[in-house]
């Protein structure tokens, strides 16, 4: 048996066989397998952003949402016409230079009304969503974190409101206050009956998060309940709340349009997509494009929020990703 192996070359003089052994690598396996750990670990939102920025659907929906918000805030950037200036001589007139969508039955420019209609419709959706998240999030977080009799009480109250259909309740209340109809009234009614789903989602998310190890560690260090809830539980329980709120925003825009279409939402003096769709239903057979333009603006805006909710859900919840 050979006790020493040459470092360069070993030749075994067997018929048709030659074995070569290279020099011993002086680099240790520990250095080869070492991974740099100086960088901070990626957060849940950081990983979600890496996924979102690769999705074309995210950029498409984000572009439409930004455009809708810009229309609501700065309609003057897109048209210089007054949406309330109408001439009966132009009633149902065809498109003309400077008036690409033509005129409605009252002789108003449809293009300017579509642009300015975004203000009421989008503002109702955004403000209602904020109010719903505040109301439902507070109730759900308190019920899920504190538990006990308070959880039972708040859950039963939520069940009572949950059993009332949103649109039906809005119709009844708007009829009761039909003499005081305005944007604030629509937001109040939709917020009053639209918070229940957010409350349920927040309660479940908080209950699943409050038993995590980092919450136990924070409790062991003497952190107060308020600090644990706001600094540790809610930031890690916010993903499903944000996803639902994004989709619900489109739902509230549709709810406002539905109420206005039935004549019990915003007053006719307010320019909104719902009011324009309602006014155009009488000429649907003769001039369908009068209804088409505000309807397509409403549909595209709502669809953008639904698509945004879907892509955000897939980014934040790996189990929900499509195979």
């Amino acid at each position: 048996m050979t006790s020493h192996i040459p470092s360069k070359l070993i030749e075994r003089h067997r018929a048709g066989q030659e074995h070569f052994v290279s020099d011993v690598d002086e680099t240790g396996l520990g250095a080869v397998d070492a991974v740099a750990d100086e960088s901070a670990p990626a957060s849940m939102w950081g990983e979600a952003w890496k996924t979102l920025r690769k999705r074309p659907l995210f950029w498409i929906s984000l572009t439409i949402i930004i455009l809708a918000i810009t229309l609501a805030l700065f309609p003057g950037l897109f048209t210089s016409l007054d949406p309330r200036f109408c001439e009966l001589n132009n009633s149902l007139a065809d498109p003309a230079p400077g008036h690409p969508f033509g005129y409605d039955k009252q002789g108003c420019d449809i293009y300017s009304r579509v642009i300015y209609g975004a203000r009421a419709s989008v503002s109702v959706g955004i403000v209602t969503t904020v109010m719903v998240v505040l109301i439902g999030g507070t109730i759900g977080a308190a019920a899920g974190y504190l538990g006990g009799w308070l959880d039972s009480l708040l859950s039963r109250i939520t069940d009572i409101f949950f059993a009332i259909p949103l649109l039906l309740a809005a119709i009844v209340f708007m009829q009761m206050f039909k003499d005081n109809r305005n944007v604030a009234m629509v937001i109040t009614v939709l917020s009053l009956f639209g918070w229940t789903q957010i409350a349920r989602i927040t309660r479940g998310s908080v209950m699943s998060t409050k038993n995590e190890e980092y919450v136990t560690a924070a409790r062991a260090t003497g952190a107060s309940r308020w600090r644990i809830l706001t600094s540790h539980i809610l930031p890690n329980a916010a993903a499903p709340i944000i996803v639902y709120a994004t989709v619900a925003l489109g739902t509230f825009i549709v709810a406002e349009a539905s109420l206005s279409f039935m004549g019990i939402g915003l007053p006719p003096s307010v320019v909104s997509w719902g009011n324009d769709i309602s006014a155009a239903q009488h000429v649907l057979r003769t001039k369908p494009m009068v209804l088409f333009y505000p309807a397509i603006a409403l549909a595209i805006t709502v669809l953008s929020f639904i698509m945004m909710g879907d892509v955000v859900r897939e980014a934040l919840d790996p189990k929900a990703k499509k195979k």
Side-chain angles (χ1 to χ4, degrees):
M1 181 178 294
T2 305
S3 60
H4 175 69
I5 300 177
S7 60
K8 292 292 183 181
L9 177 64
I10 293 180
E11 296 184 359
R12 296 183 180 178
H13 299 285
R14 294 181 181 177
Q17 291 187 355
E18 292 182 352
H19 296 271
F20 299 91
V21 179
S22 63
D23 292 335
V24 178
D25 189 359
E26 300 297 334
T27 304
L29 291 177
V32 174
D33 296 337
V35 178
D37 57 356
E38 291 83 2
S39 59
S43 63
M44 175 183 66
W45 299 105
E47 293 294 335
W49 170 244
K50 291 180 180 179
T51 303
L52 287 174
R53 66 187 182 185
K54 299 177 183 178
R55 296 291 305 276
L57 196 61
F58 168 74
W59 293 109
I60 294 173
S61 58
L62 180 63
T63 301
I64 299 174
I65 291 172
I66 292 176
L67 177 61
I69 295 175
T70 305
L71 288 175
L73 295 176
F74 311 105
L77 296 176
F78 300 89
T79 180
S80 59
L81 299 176
D82 185 356
R84 296 183 179 86
F85 178 75
C86 307
E87 290 183 344
L88 288 177
N89 293 332
N90 296 325
S91 178
L92 300 178
D94 294 330
H99 308 277
F101 294 169
Y103 299 86
D104 63 8
K105 189 175 183 179
Q106 300 298 323
C108 306
D109 180 69
I110 297 176
Y111 174 76
S112 63
R113 292 188 67 86
V114 170
I115 297 298
Y116 277 85
R119 173 173 292 177
S121 299
V122 175
S123 62
V124 167
I126 292 177
V127 177
T128 302
T129 302
V130 172
M131 295 297 296
V132 161
V133 170
L134 290 177
I135 298 172
T138 301
I139 294 176
Y145 182 61
L146 299 178
W149 66 269
L150 183 62
D151 180 23
S152 300
L153 176 62
L154 295 178
S155 296
R156 300 294 79 76
I157 294 175
T158 303
D159 291 340
I160 293 173
F161 277 86
F162 192 79
I164 304 174
L166 172 62
L167 195 59
L168 177 60
I171 292 173
V172 172
F173 270 74
M174 292 303 297
Q175 282 284 59
M176 292 173 58
F177 302 99
K178 59 183 179 180
D179 295 332
N180 298 315
R181 289 183 296 155
N182 51 38
V183 174
M185 178 61 67
V186 174
I187 292 173
T188 301
V189 171
L190 293 179
S191 301
L192 184 62
F193 294 96
W195 56 269
T196 53
Q197 191 65 35
I198 285 284
R200 283 189 166 190
I201 292 174
T202 305
R203 176 180 176 271
S205 185
V206 168
M207 290 183 67
S208 63
T209 305
K210 71 177 183 178
N211 296 320
E212 297 290 341
E213 293 180 356
Y214 54 84
V215 177
T216 304
R219 190 178 293 113
T221 59
S224 63
R225 283 187 169 184
W226 174 254
R227 180 175 178 80
I228 293 174
L229 180 62
T230 57
S231 300
H232 299 281
I233 295 180
L234 287 181
N236 291 281
I241 302 172
I242 293 175
V243 171
Y244 178 79
T246 305
V247 178
L249 200 155
T251 303
F252 292 131
I253 294 177
V254 172
E256 179 276 321
S258 301
L259 293 174
S260 298
F261 178 81
M262 290 182 287
I264 56 175
L266 298 177
S269 59
V270 177
V271 181
S272 73
W273 293 331
N275 280 334
D276 285 354
I277 294 172
S278 178
Q281 63 178 319
H282 304 291
V283 295
L284 180 59
R285 292 185 178 181
T286 57
K287 280 284 185 177
M289 300 306 293
V290 176
L291 183 145
F292 173 80
Y293 291 117
I296 198 64
L298 174 67
I300 291 176
T301 303
V302 173
L303 179 62
S304 66
F305 284 105
I306 294 176
M307 291 191 303
M308 178 63 74
D310 286 341
V311 295
V312 171
R313 175 179 57 86
E314 293 177 9
L316 293 175
D317 185 6
K319 297 180 181 179
K321 291 183 179 180
K322 297 179 181 179
K323 302 296 184 181

